[in-house]
Every structure is written in C-alpha cells, then in structure tokens.
C-alpha cells in the first residue's frame, strides 16, 4: 500500500513540475575557453614548455584532438566557434583592422554578426540555460552587436582585438582606449586587474548568481597569449633560461617532440624557417637575452592562465557542477608574429606608458611580443603563423572533456565550425529557429562517444579564406595561397599525410589533384560569398592605413580646431606685417 501511495505521489509531483525544468536538470553545463594566439604545441599536454597541469588534466580525462583546424585570425574563428557557420556567412569574414575599403559594408564583411546568424547562447537560452560570457568579444560593436544582443544573460566583454593585461588602456592606435562593456554598457576595470584573474573571477561571480540549479554556458575569451604579452613575474621566472638557445633550436625541439608524440609521422621533413626571418646567431648577446625573456613571458602568461583555469575548475567541483560540465579548450589561431620594433610605433608607445625593454619585462608598462621568428618556431611542427593559412596559422589544440566523452586522442580531421553543432547536440537543442542561417559544421559527437572514427569523408572539401589567404582540404590533400608580406600569392599543393610541414609543393606532380582542389575552392568561395582582395593587398600595410584613418577620424575635431586657430594666427601675423610695412613706407 505504501509503495503504491509513494508511486502515485511521485507521478503527481512529476506532473506538477514543468517539462522544461525536468529536462533542464539533465542537460550538461558547457565551459568554452578560448586561448588567444596559442600554437598547437604550446600546451604541456601537446609537448610545450609551459606548465599547464589543469588543462592537461582535462585533456587526459577527455578527448585531445590532433588534427583540428581553426581560421587564421581571431574574429572569424570566434564567429565560427560560437555559431557553427562559415566566417563569410556570419558577417565577420576578417577583422576591421585589416579590412580594405573595397569590402567595407559588403555582405559578409559588415564586421558584425548579421541577421539570421544565431549563437550558441541564443540557442541554449530558450532551453533554460544561463548564458555567461567574460573576456574578448570582437564580434561587432554598439547596441545590439555586443554579447547581450546575441543571447548572453551576463557579459563582461572586451570589444577589441586586444588590450593591456594590467591596465584599462588600449594596446594599439586603432583603439582610443580599451572598450570594456558589462551587459552592453561601458564598464571600467578594478585597480588590481590582471586579465586572466579578472576573466575567471567575473565568470565565477556570474555563475553564483540567480538560479544556480539551471544549466549554464560559460564562454571565456582569454587575452593570453595576445600582444602585449604580459605575465606576473613569478610565472615568467620559471622560463627565463628555457629559450636562451634561440628560435632555430626551439623549432627543432618541438619538431622532434611532435614526432615522439605522434603529432607528425616519424621521418617527415622539418619545415624551413622563412628566408626573411633573422638568424638567432646574428643577434647581439643583449638582443638574444631580450628575445629569450619575451618568450619566457609568453610561457609565463600561459601558465598564469592555466592557474586561473584551475581556480574555475575547483569552483565547479565545490558547487557540485564539475561532473556534469563539458569543457572545450582551444585557440583561435596560431602564434602572433607582430612586433613593436618599428620606430614609427615608438612615440605612441611612450605616450601610452609602454616600453619594450628588459626591465620589469611582462609587468605593468611592458609591451611584450615574441615576433615572427619565435612565432614561426612555436608553430612547429607547422609552417608560418597567425594570419596565414599554412598549418602554423590553422592547426591548433582542441580539448573536449566531460560527461559522454570517451578519453583518448582523436586523430580525425575537425574544424572550428564543428564545435557549436556538437554542443547543441549534447544539449538536445533540436532544430534552429525559423530564419536562422544554416550551420556549416558537423557534430563531433560520434568521435567523442567512440561510435565513429571520422565525421568527414576523404572526398569532402573544406575551405577556409581570410583576407585573401585561402586553403582547401580534401582527404590528405591541401592547397594553400598566402599573400604578402610572408607569402607570394601563388597556389601550392601539399600532401599532409606524409608532409605535415608543407615542405614540398606537389602541384606539378599531381596536376589533376591540383585542378580538382582549385575547382573545389572556387565552389566554396562562391557558396559562402568570398570577395577577392584588391590587387597588391598586404595585410600589414592595410593595418597601418586603417590605424592612420582611425587616428585621424578620432582626432579630426582637434585637427580642425587647431587648423582654424593656426589660420587665424597666420592671418593676424600677415595683417601685422602688412601694417608695419605700410607704416614704414609712410615714414619713408
């Protein structure tokens, strides 16, 4: 009798609880963490020098991808990650800093998430998810284009490609300041700000708000390892001797380690460093010491980020959410080659309280960067770096860990647009809202569950294009076109299965494959709406032009005011000279 009564009461209680609440209690939490500008082998688990024990532990208990690709630039990658849609179809084909005037405002090049593009947050929110975001956004500016306009309940977002990690200030003349926003409104930073600390602190605050029984999506866009490269000295100190033998030695070490870890086949050719890069032995001893220290800060910045990731993990364990949380950790692109060595940049650095020397390197006021040489070495076993579609710009880490994910390495091809459909399937999100732009990526759940060995067939063609740099994968084959200043604009063909370093162009040896992949790329470009860049386009030169235009626009009222004052003063001076001359003429 008691059992029957209990069963009846259970049925009545279940009927009284809304279906959404019952379903929501079973849905996984998602923590998506994006490292800015990390190479494939930067993380410890991938063979890097930095200590990243917290991320490594997630990789050990989950899936560690070895053949994952992103786009070569930050905003396109983030748009693809959060939507599952190709960057051109999101509206964020590239970043404003390198956008040529011929593309401004064109479909796919509006530099904002265009109508119909739906983010993970917007898809999960109706399912009862709390949607939270902290860190770098860079996916549209102004009302309706910040995270609060794209499904996030709470957000503390940087609407720029980067910013200082210690202070509330800009890192380049393109931006007047560091545009931070909380829930769409301008916000300021605390006095004790350090980017990785704050991004995690704020996320923990958001997690502890409201209905903590509801599932959540937490998206953290870390500033590590973006320039300016900065880290607390206690982390930098761990690596001050690590890079003293230079970039050639680092590239070789990582190449050897990649073979030991099976990231590349044993005996595959090591890619040569670009011929325009400096040789380590051509530097003076002081220069070598400075560059080694910059790389030490880079590693320290990554370890500091991992330390704070550990605090977030510990918080989830304390709240009881950890076991039901799926973690996604990746990088938006390969390592950053840009520097602050151009003398023309010096006056701006000085005016904004920056120095690029060895003193207190990585600390407040230090403007750190690793430069193209160490970026090229860090990208080993791949060639080139961020901005470019050689493997050094595209092949980055991806770790997924949590309930339903089988531990182990995943050696199947995957791409950044696959993350969103994977998480949506895990959440049983169902079909997209009417009017949504269709997703390009594929769910990786068959790989994560161990039910399949691949989600892409050998004859599937997967294209990538950002600012004229273009590539297409098909089975083991890849075609590549890199523009100036580190490319020549010519298409090349590589077989990545035995040449992952892209050392041997096979276009002449396999003309039929080369022709097929070019046709595949043309079809891809037509489908997603790629616009060809103007003749002679150079991304570095375009950044300089766009920065100059931004500074002039920002200061135009001052320029006009000073111009008017100058003209009035000049007019007054001319009038005075004429008056004096006439007076002297009369006296004569």
């Amino acid at each position: 009798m008691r059992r029957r009564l209990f069963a009846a009461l259970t049925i009545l209680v279940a009927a009284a609880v809304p279906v959404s609440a019952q379903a929501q209690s079973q849905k996984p939490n998602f923590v998506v963490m994006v490292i800015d500008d990390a190479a494939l082998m930067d993380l410890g688990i991938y063979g890097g020098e930095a200590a990243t024990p917290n991320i490594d532990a997630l990789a050990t208990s989950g899936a560690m991808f070895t053949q994952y690709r992103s786009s070569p630039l930050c905003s396109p990658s983030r748009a693809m990650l959060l939507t599952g849609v190709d960057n051109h179809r999101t509206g964020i084909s590239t970043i404003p800093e390198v956008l040529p005037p011929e593309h401004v405002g064109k479909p796919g090049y509006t530099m904002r998430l265009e109508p119909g593009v739906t983010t993970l947050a917007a898809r999960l929110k109706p399912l009862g998810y709390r949607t939270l975001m902290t860190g770098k956004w860079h996916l549209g500016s102004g009302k309706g284009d910040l995270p609060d306009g794209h499904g996030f309940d709470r957000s503390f977002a940087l609407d720029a490609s980067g910013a200082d990690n210690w202070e509330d200030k800009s890192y380049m003349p393109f931006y007047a300041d560091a545009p931070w926003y909380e829930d769409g409104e301008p916000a300021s930073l605390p006095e004790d700000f350090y980017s990785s600390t704050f991004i995690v602190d704020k996320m923990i605050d958001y997690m502890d708000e409201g209905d903590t029984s509801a599932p959540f999506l937490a998206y953290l866009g870390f500033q590590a390892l973006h320039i300016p490269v900065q880290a607390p000295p206690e982390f930098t100190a761990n690596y001050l001797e690590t890079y003293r033998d230079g970039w050639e030695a680092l590239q070789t070490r990582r190449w050897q380690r990649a073979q030991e870890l099976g990231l590349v086949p044993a005996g595959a050719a090591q890619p040569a460093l670009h011929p325009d890069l400096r040789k380590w032995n051509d530097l003076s001893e002081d220069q070598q010491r400075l560059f080694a220290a910059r790389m030490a800060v880079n590693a320290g910045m990554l370890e500091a980020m991992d330390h704070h990731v550990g605090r977030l993990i510990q918080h989830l364990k304390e709240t009881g959410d950890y076991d039901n949380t799926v973690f996604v950790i990746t990088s938006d692109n390969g390592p950053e080659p840009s520097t602050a060595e151009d003398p023309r940049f010096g006056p701006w650095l000085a005016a904004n309280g920056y120095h690029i020397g060895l003193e207190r390197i990585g600390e407040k006021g230090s403007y750190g960067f690793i430069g193209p040489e160490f970026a090229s070495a860090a990208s080993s076993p791949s060639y080139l770096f961020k901005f470019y579609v050689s493997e050094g710009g595209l092949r980055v880490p991806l770790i997924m860990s949590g309930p339903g994910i089988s531990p182990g390495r995943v050696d199947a091809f995957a791409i950044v647009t696959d993350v969103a459909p994977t998480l949506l399937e895990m959440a049983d999100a169902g079909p997209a809202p009417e009017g949504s732009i269709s997703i390009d990526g594929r769910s990786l759940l068959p790989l994560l569950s161990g039910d399949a060995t691949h989600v892409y067939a050998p004859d599937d063609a997967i294209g990538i294009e950002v600012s004229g740099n273009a590539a297409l994968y098909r089975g083991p084959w890849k075609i590549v076109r890199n523009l100036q200043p580190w490319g020549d604009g010519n298409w090349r063909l590589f077989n990545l299965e035995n040449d992952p370093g892209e050392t041997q162009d096979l276009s002449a040896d396999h003309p039929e494959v080369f022709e097929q992949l070019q046709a595949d790329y043309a079809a891809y470009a037509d489908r997603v709406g790629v616009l060809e860049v103007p003749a002679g386009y150079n991304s570095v030169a375009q950044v300089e032009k766009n920065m100059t235009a931004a500074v002039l626009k920002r200061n135009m009222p001052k320029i006009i005011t000073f111009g008017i004052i100058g003209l009035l003063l000049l007019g007054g001076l001319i009038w005075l000279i004429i008056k004096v001359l006439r007076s002297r003429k009369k006296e004569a």
Side-chain angles (χ1 to χ4, degrees):
M1 182 68 182
R2 286 182 179 177
R3 288 183 179 178
R4 289 180 182 176
L5 180 60
F6 180 77
L9 287 171
T10 301
I11 292 170
L12 287 171
V13 170
V17 177
V19 174
S20 60
Q22 292 181 46
Q24 123 180 343
S25 66
Q26 301 168 3
K27 293 186 181 297
N29 305 309
F30 299 115
V31 174
V32 180
M33 295 182 277
V34 180
I35 312 170
D36 206 330
D37 299 347
L40 173 70
M41 294 187 69
D42 274 343
L43 296 171
I45 193 72
Y46 282 87
E49 302 78 32
T52 54
N54 297 296
I55 295 174
D56 294 354
L58 291 175
T60 301
S61 64
M64 172 182 163
F65 285 74
T66 64
Q67 296 294 336
Y68 170 80
R69 304 309 195 280
S70 191
S71 96
L73 208 47
C74 55
S75 296
S77 297
R78 291 158 197 269
M80 295 162 84
L81 178 76
L82 284 174
T83 67
V85 178
D86 182 88
N87 54 309
H88 303 86
R89 299 177 68 231
T90 66
I92 302 179
S93 298
T94 183
I95 60 174
E97 290 89 332
V98 301
L99 188 68
E102 292 87 346
H103 291 175
V104 172
K106 298 290 179 64
Y109 295 77
T110 57
M111 302 298 100
R112 57 187 292 270
L113 295 175
E114 294 177 357
V117 178
T118 311
T119 67
L120 265 174
R123 291 289 304 276
L124 295 176
K125 189 172 181 177
L127 305 180
Y129 275 78
R130 294 175 288 147
T131 51
L132 318 170
M133 184 269 172
T134 56
K136 178 173 168 177
W137 176 246
H138 205 213
L139 296 175
S141 305
K143 189 173 179 60
D145 289 326
L146 293 169
D148 63 303
H150 289 286
F152 286 96
D153 297 319
R154 298 304 315 273
S155 60
F156 204 107
L158 173 65
D159 177 31
S161 55
D164 193 88
N165 294 283
W166 292 109
E167 299 180 79
D168 195 349
K169 67 179 184 180
S170 170
Y171 84 105
M172 65 184 297
F174 189 83
Y175 301 100
D177 52 23
W180 286 95
Y181 294 87
E182 185 165 30
D183 301 331
E185 298 297 327
S188 56
L189 302 176
E191 287 296 320
D192 61 348
F193 174 78
Y194 177 68
S195 62
S196 292
T197 310
F198 178 80
I199 286 166
V200 168
D201 282 348
K202 202 67 181 176
M203 182 56 73
I204 290 174
D205 289 345
Y206 288 161
M207 286 178 171
D208 290 344
E209 294 176 350
D211 180 8
T212 56
S213 66
F216 59 79
L217 164 67
Y219 173 62
L220 297 92
F222 287 101
Q223 290 177 230
L225 299 162
H226 197 281
I227 55 173
V229 178
Q230 298 165 320
E234 62 269 26
F235 292 103
T236 298
N238 297 329
Y239 307 99
L240 289 175
E241 299 300 320
T242 304
Y243 304 99
R244 289 297 298 271
D245 52 356
W247 37 72
E248 293 97 341
L250 174 63
Q251 191 215 26
T252 297
R253 274 199 307 274
R254 286 200 175 186
W255 176 256
Q256 292 169 343
R257 183 72 174 135
Q259 293 178 89
E260 294 167 7
L261 293 172
L263 298 175
V264 296
Q270 179 178 345
L273 294 175
H274 194 283
D276 290 344
L277 294 174
R278 291 168 289 190
K279 302 292 188 294
W280 181 255
N281 288 335
D282 290 342
L283 271 59
S284 68
E285 187 175 335
D286 287 345
Q287 287 175 314
Q288 290 180 351
R289 187 180 299 109
L290 176 58
F291 269 101
R294 285 171 177 159
M295 198 65 183
V297 177
N298 193 72
M301 194 178 191
L302 188 57
E303 184 183 345
M305 189 205 80
D306 179 83
H307 168 77
H308 294 293
V309 169
R311 291 197 303 112
L312 180 64
I313 291 170
Q314 183 59 35
H315 178 77
L316 293 173
K317 290 179 177 178
E318 291 170 358
T319 60
D321 290 311
Y322 177 82
D323 290 336
N324 192 38
T325 298
V326 172
F327 293 88
V328 178
I329 303 155
T330 189
S331 174
D332 55 356
N333 44 247
E336 168 70 74
S338 301
T339 78
E341 295 176 295
D342 190 327
R344 295 173 298 173
F345 199 39
W348 184 90
L349 290 171
N352 286 272
Y354 282 120
H355 70 86
I356 60 172
L358 193 58
E359 183 182 359
R360 297 176 64 84
I361 192 164
E363 299 180 50
K364 189 177 292 188
S366 171
Y367 196 99
F369 52 89
I370 64 173
E373 291 86 4
F374 264 131
S376 194
S379 74
S380 185
S382 302
Y383 180 61
L384 286 183
F385 29 62
K386 176 180 176 178
F387 293 110
Y388 300 94
V389 291
S390 293
E391 293 292 271
L394 304 179
R395 191 181 179 192
V396 295
L398 172 66
I399 294 163
M400 299 186 73
S401 179
I405 298 176
S406 300
R409 279 178 41 151
V410 178
D411 295 322
F413 181 89
I415 192 166
V416 61
T417 46
D418 298 335
V419 174
T422 305
L423 302 189
L424 289 171
E425 185 176 1
M426 287 180 170
D428 194 20
E434 188 176 347
S436 295
I437 290 177
S438 60
I439 284 177
D440 293 295
R442 301 180 184 181
S443 173
L444 300 174
L445 206 53
L447 295 175
L448 298 172
S449 63
D451 291 337
T453 58
H454 61 270
V455 295
Y456 288 94
D459 59 348
D460 283 330
I462 302 102
I464 297 172
E465 192 275 349
V466 174
S467 294
N469 297 316
L472 184 127
Y473 295 88
R474 182 172 178 150
W477 299 100
K478 177 188 178 186
I479 54 169
V480 177
R481 180 187 69 192
N482 288 315
L483 303 187
Q484 302 175 62
W486 296 101
D488 58 11
N490 294 322
W491 285 101
R492 290 175 171 81
L493 173 70
F494 301 103
N495 186 319
L496 298 182
E497 198 169 78
N498 50 39
D499 184 25
E502 300 170 307
T503 65
Q504 186 177 5
D505 178 11
L506 299 176
S507 56
D509 297 329
H510 297 276
E512 71 291 348
V513 176
F514 189 49
E515 184 178 337
Q516 177 62 59
L517 266 66
Q518 285 190 307
D520 289 338
Y521 176 77
Y524 157 78
D526 182 65
R527 179 178 68 83
V528 301
V530 173
L531 297 180
E532 287 297 318
V533 295
Y537 175 84
N538 179 315
S539 59
V540 174
Q542 193 63 57
V543 168
E544 294 175 354
K545 292 176 183 177
N546 290 352
M547 277 200 302
T548 301
V551 171
L552 288 174
K553 181 179 179 180
R554 197 161 58 236
N555 292 285
M556 191 54 66
K558 293 179 182 178
I559 293 171
I560 292 172
T561 299
F562 285 125
I564 292 172
I565 292 172
L567 287 173
L568 290 173
L569 289 173
L570 180 61
L573 180 62
I574 292 172
W575 176 81
L576 182 61
I577 291 171
I578 291 172
K579 185 176 180 181
V580 170
L581 290 174
R582 285 177 176 174
S583 175
R584 288 181 178 178
K585 188 175 181 181
K586 286 180 180 180
E587 290 175 1

